[in-house]
Amino acid sequence: MWLFGFGLVYLRRMALDGIRMPDGCYADGTWELKMHVTDLHRDVSLRVTGEIHIGGVMLKLVEKLDVKKDWSDHALWWEKKKTWLLKTHWTLDKYGIQADARLLFTPQHKLLRLQLPNMKHMKVKVNFSDRVFKAVSDICKTFNIRHPEEASLLRKPRDPKKKKKKLEEAEEEALELDGPLLTPGSASEIIYIGPVKGSIYSSPGLYSKTMTPTYDSRDGSPLSPTTAWFGDSPLSEGNPSILAVSQPITSPDILAKLYKPQSLLDKAKINQGWLDSSRSLMEQDVKENEVLLLRFKYHSFFDLNPKYDAIRVNQLYEQAKWAILLEEIECTEEEMMMFAALQYHINKLSIMSSDNHMNNSENEVDEVDAALSDLEITLEGGKTSNTLGDITSIPELADYVKVFKPKKLTLKGYKLYWCTFKDITISCYKSKEEAHGTPSLQMNLRGCEVTPDVNISGQKFNIKLLIPVADGMNEIWLRCDAEKQYAHWMAACRLASKGKTMADSSYNLEVQNILSFLKMQHMNPDPQFIAEPAVTNDINSECLVSPRYLKKYKNKQPGYIRDLISARILEAHQNVAQMSLIEAKMRFIQAWQSLPEFGITHFLAKFQGGKKDELIGITYNRLIRMDASTGDAIKTWRFANMKQWNVNWEIKMVTVEFADEPSLAFICAEVDCKVVHEFIGGYIFLSTRAKDQNESLDEEMFYKLTSGWV
């Protein structure tokens, strides 16, 4: 009897099968799911119900295709909702997929054209279904770059002066000229193609502190990591360390073709292009073979160690070099000549070190370790000194310093005061004898902006202080008489702005770094110094300085300009000529960090109560309200004083609450407020890193601080 009943049900279903209802579903409860297989350029329809899970859909699809192929990397992508269907145990009903949906069956790993900080392009196979944060981590592991949390992907800025077609042609030309191209064979295998000898390099992605040093102890040139890690393996035959080698700019035409921001607003527009780290590439409309920029997004370089970071150091140097040459960051003419001299020195040593330097003794490595110990850059910009000194008392400064408090319609008139610097406070007295009385002027420097104003040749050593008050910032200028005095007062001001005193272990190192930075800007005091023509011809000066400084001599003959600038570069080169290759790169990075505009990421914003668009600047430890036309700081807020921040996603408003200050609120203009929110949360996330921690990243904590809704 039960067989008869089963037969009736079966016959009823057979009768209903094929009868289509007005809503597109069939009478038996099934409906057609339309899919496109990207590899085969083929459309396929499957009869499904809402109860079938995603894994079952893919299984039925592969069976229907009947093509012998490895489909393990494929997944379903819902175009309309811009969503990967990666939870294979979820049903179609749970995802909300109905008959009007169109799905793509496509590989998760796709080719991406990456422009590295050194402006070289490489093809990399990246997981388009991973969140960008995870994708960047995988890319950095492949390239053996530690601390990938500092990097991210940026869309290529468009030059409004160039037509789109010409811009695309220039990109293609750059790809051919720049090379080398990189095509990964697997997640950890890459192939170099181009002017460099092809090689395969498998990066284990290990960040061990006991890793074999990857630089040469004599001149800092990179060693091949494959030799260190794989010994006599066939992988060691190539030279995969090309990413640790700096290649000189060969023609000024390369500089001329690249986009240069003309104003702070242009810089703010570039920052609109940062990808959302909490979403995948496909979710952000990134196409296969699209060009994206891999850049160090957060200017907080943790545990930068030449022993393990040959590639990271070189790519940081390259990002700094191009930022200066493309005028993305301001510097004085003396600083420009110092940067040019370091570039010239690095280019020379890079060419000289192209030979194999594998036979080095342990003693040489130890000597270089000692020489570079003070060059390691940490979150606070330095490494603790071995000598702690007397920690029971806080050091103080006391000296005659010229002080100026500008007022409207007045010329700069400095007054000489006896100034004492105790804790984080400067007290100014009319004379040394009155130092025990009431000061004429007193300044608490916590949270202030500290900006250098130095001209070595003019013997000008000024410190500009913007001190926060209830209604904005008070401007105070200090003028020192000599380099040594300036270095001590500037170091003390920088620490005080962070709420630290001169008892902090980084104070002496900060003083030495400032003195070193000033020393590199010194020109040869000998007026008889004349560069040999043969030597100046060896310098391609037009590729070592930014176009702005070439324009100063626009009325002169080209040959005269080249010789003049080359002579100045050679003068500055004498201060760095004894440096090793790795030391010169580290000094360049350190000098870049010393520039007043370093590490400020600008965004256009309208502040609550404000009548016009202004700029919000975000750095590793503070927020800065800035004038959009001049870049002057109007008000500063420190992260250390922050209680919480919130985002109203509907009106794009960011609100920040502080412990002892009124809250800050601004609306993001021309940029998704998610980008601004991620910068704030990202810097707070980076501030939690410590050397004694496990080196694995807490991804979930990053997403909690930056994504807002995950």
Side-chain angles (χ1 to χ4, degrees), residues 540-560:
N540 195 353
S541 57
E542 293 168 321
C543 298
L544 298 176
V545 299
S546 68
R548 177 182 302 168
Y549 291 101
L550 293 174
K551 288 177 185 175
K552 287 185 63 176
Y553 307 100
K554 60 183 178 181
N555 296 325
K556 306 290 183 181
Q557 292 295 323
Y560 172 80

Short mmCIF file of all heavy atoms in Angstrom, two decimals, residues 540-560:
data_model
loop_
_atom_site.label_atom_id
_atom_site.label_comp_id
_atom_site.label_asym_id
_atom_site.label_seq_id
_atom_site.Cartn_x
_atom_site.Cartn_y
_atom_site.Cartn_z
N ASN A 540 73.67 63.14 -11.88
CA ASN A 540 72.46 63.51 -12.62
C ASN A 540 71.60 64.34 -11.69
O ASN A 540 70.59 63.87 -11.15
CB ASN A 540 71.74 62.25 -13.09
CG ASN A 540 70.71 62.54 -14.16
OD1 ASN A 540 70.43 63.70 -14.46
ND2 ASN A 540 70.12 61.51 -14.71
N SER A 541 71.99 65.60 -11.49
CA SER A 541 71.39 66.43 -10.44
C SER A 541 69.91 66.67 -10.66
O SER A 541 69.16 66.84 -9.70
CB SER A 541 72.12 67.77 -10.36
OG SER A 541 72.09 68.44 -11.61
N GLU A 542 69.44 66.68 -11.91
CA GLU A 542 68.03 66.93 -12.18
C GLU A 542 67.13 65.81 -11.67
O GLU A 542 65.92 65.99 -11.56
CB GLU A 542 67.81 67.14 -13.68
CG GLU A 542 68.47 68.42 -14.20
CD GLU A 542 68.49 68.45 -15.72
OE1 GLU A 542 68.73 67.38 -16.31
OE2 GLU A 542 68.26 69.52 -16.28
N CYS A 543 67.75 64.65 -11.37
CA CYS A 543 66.99 63.51 -10.83
C CYS A 543 67.12 63.40 -9.32
O CYS A 543 66.55 62.47 -8.72
CB CYS A 543 67.47 62.20 -11.47
SG CYS A 543 67.22 62.14 -13.24
N LEU A 544 67.87 64.30 -8.70
CA LEU A 544 68.13 64.21 -7.26
C LEU A 544 67.43 65.29 -6.46
O LEU A 544 67.37 65.20 -5.23
CB LEU A 544 69.64 64.28 -6.99
CG LEU A 544 70.50 63.16 -7.60
CD1 LEU A 544 71.97 63.42 -7.33
CD2 LEU A 544 70.10 61.80 -7.04
N VAL A 545 66.92 66.33 -7.13
CA VAL A 545 66.22 67.41 -6.43
C VAL A 545 64.85 67.58 -7.06
O VAL A 545 64.61 67.19 -8.19
CB VAL A 545 67.00 68.75 -6.48
CG1 VAL A 545 68.35 68.61 -5.81
CG2 VAL A 545 67.16 69.23 -7.92
N SER A 546 63.93 68.18 -6.30
CA SER A 546 62.56 68.36 -6.80
C SER A 546 62.53 69.48 -7.84
O SER A 546 63.39 70.37 -7.83
CB SER A 546 61.62 68.68 -5.64
OG SER A 546 61.92 69.96 -5.11
N PRO A 547 61.54 69.46 -8.73
CA PRO A 547 61.45 70.48 -9.78
C PRO A 547 61.41 71.91 -9.25
O PRO A 547 61.85 72.84 -9.91
CB PRO A 547 60.13 70.13 -10.49
CG PRO A 547 59.94 68.67 -10.24
CD PRO A 547 60.51 68.43 -8.87
N ARG A 548 60.89 72.09 -8.03
CA ARG A 548 60.78 73.44 -7.47
C ARG A 548 62.15 74.12 -7.38
O ARG A 548 62.27 75.32 -7.65
CB ARG A 548 60.14 73.37 -6.08
CG ARG A 548 60.05 74.71 -5.37
CD ARG A 548 59.44 74.54 -4.00
NE ARG A 548 58.11 73.94 -4.09
CZ ARG A 548 57.45 73.47 -3.03
NH1 ARG A 548 58.00 73.52 -1.84
NH2 ARG A 548 56.26 72.94 -3.19
N TYR A 549 63.17 73.37 -7.01
CA TYR A 549 64.50 73.97 -6.84
C TYR A 549 65.20 74.17 -8.18
O TYR A 549 66.10 75.00 -8.29
CB TYR A 549 65.34 73.14 -5.88
CG TYR A 549 64.79 73.23 -4.48
CD1 TYR A 549 64.01 72.21 -3.94
CD2 TYR A 549 65.00 74.36 -3.70
CE1 TYR A 549 63.46 72.30 -2.67
CE2 TYR A 549 64.45 74.47 -2.43
CZ TYR A 549 63.69 73.44 -1.92
OH TYR A 549 63.15 73.56 -0.67
N LEU A 550 64.79 73.41 -9.19
CA LEU A 550 65.32 73.65 -10.53
C LEU A 550 64.74 74.94 -11.11
O LEU A 550 65.42 75.66 -11.85
CB LEU A 550 65.00 72.47 -11.44
CG LEU A 550 65.69 71.15 -11.11
CD1 LEU A 550 65.16 70.04 -12.01
CD2 LEU A 550 67.20 71.27 -11.27
N LYS A 551 63.48 75.24 -10.76
CA LYS A 551 62.82 76.44 -11.29
C LYS A 551 63.48 77.71 -10.79
O LYS A 551 63.34 78.77 -11.39
CB LYS A 551 61.34 76.43 -10.90
CG LYS A 551 60.52 75.40 -11.66
CD LYS A 551 59.07 75.40 -11.18
CE LYS A 551 58.28 74.29 -11.85
NZ LYS A 551 56.90 74.20 -11.32
N LYS A 552 64.18 77.64 -9.66
CA LYS A 552 64.85 78.83 -9.12
C LYS A 552 65.88 79.38 -10.10
O LYS A 552 66.21 80.55 -10.09
CB LYS A 552 65.56 78.48 -7.80
CG LYS A 552 64.60 78.28 -6.63
CD LYS A 552 65.36 78.07 -5.35
CE LYS A 552 66.19 79.28 -4.99
NZ LYS A 552 66.87 79.14 -3.69
N TYR A 553 66.38 78.49 -10.96
CA TYR A 553 67.44 78.90 -11.89
C TYR A 553 66.93 78.86 -13.34
O TYR A 553 67.67 78.58 -14.27
CB TYR A 553 68.64 77.96 -11.76
CG TYR A 553 69.15 77.82 -10.34
CD1 TYR A 553 68.81 76.72 -9.56
CD2 TYR A 553 69.97 78.80 -9.78
CE1 TYR A 553 69.27 76.59 -8.26
CE2 TYR A 553 70.43 78.68 -8.48
CZ TYR A 553 70.08 77.58 -7.73
OH TYR A 553 70.54 77.45 -6.43
N LYS A 554 65.61 79.14 -13.52
CA LYS A 554 65.01 78.95 -14.85
C LYS A 554 65.59 79.90 -15.90
O LYS A 554 65.52 79.63 -17.10
CB LYS A 554 63.50 79.14 -14.76
CG LYS A 554 63.04 80.50 -14.27
CD LYS A 554 61.52 80.55 -14.15
CE LYS A 554 61.06 81.91 -13.63
NZ LYS A 554 59.59 81.96 -13.48
N ASN A 555 66.17 81.03 -15.47
CA ASN A 555 66.74 81.97 -16.43
C ASN A 555 68.19 81.66 -16.78
O ASN A 555 68.81 82.36 -17.59
CB ASN A 555 66.65 83.41 -15.88
CG ASN A 555 65.20 83.84 -15.69
OD1 ASN A 555 64.34 83.46 -16.48
ND2 ASN A 555 64.94 84.63 -14.65
N LYS A 556 68.75 80.64 -16.16
CA LYS A 556 70.15 80.27 -16.41
C LYS A 556 70.23 79.21 -17.50
O LYS A 556 69.25 78.56 -17.85
CB LYS A 556 70.80 79.74 -15.12
CG LYS A 556 70.69 80.68 -13.93
CD LYS A 556 71.53 81.92 -14.08
CE LYS A 556 71.46 82.80 -12.84
NZ LYS A 556 72.28 84.03 -12.99
N GLN A 557 71.43 79.04 -18.01
CA GLN A 557 71.66 77.99 -19.01
C GLN A 557 71.56 76.61 -18.35
O GLN A 557 72.01 76.44 -17.21
CB GLN A 557 73.05 78.15 -19.64
CG GLN A 557 73.19 79.39 -20.50
CD GLN A 557 72.29 79.34 -21.73
OE1 GLN A 557 72.09 78.29 -22.33
NE2 GLN A 557 71.74 80.50 -22.09
N PRO A 558 70.98 75.60 -19.04
CA PRO A 558 70.84 74.26 -18.44
C PRO A 558 72.14 73.68 -17.91
O PRO A 558 72.18 73.08 -16.84
CB PRO A 558 70.27 73.42 -19.59
CG PRO A 558 69.58 74.42 -20.48
CD PRO A 558 70.38 75.68 -20.38
N GLY A 559 73.22 73.84 -18.67
CA GLY A 559 74.51 73.30 -18.24
C GLY A 559 75.00 73.96 -16.97
O GLY A 559 75.54 73.30 -16.07
N TYR A 560 74.78 75.28 -16.86
CA TYR A 560 75.20 76.01 -15.67
C TYR A 560 74.41 75.54 -14.45
O TYR A 560 74.96 75.35 -13.36
CB TYR A 560 74.99 77.51 -15.89
CG TYR A 560 75.22 78.35 -14.65
CD1 TYR A 560 76.51 78.69 -14.25
CD2 TYR A 560 74.14 78.79 -13.88
CE1 TYR A 560 76.72 79.45 -13.11
CE2 TYR A 560 74.34 79.54 -12.73
CZ TYR A 560 75.63 79.87 -12.36
OH TYR A 560 75.84 80.61 -11.23
#
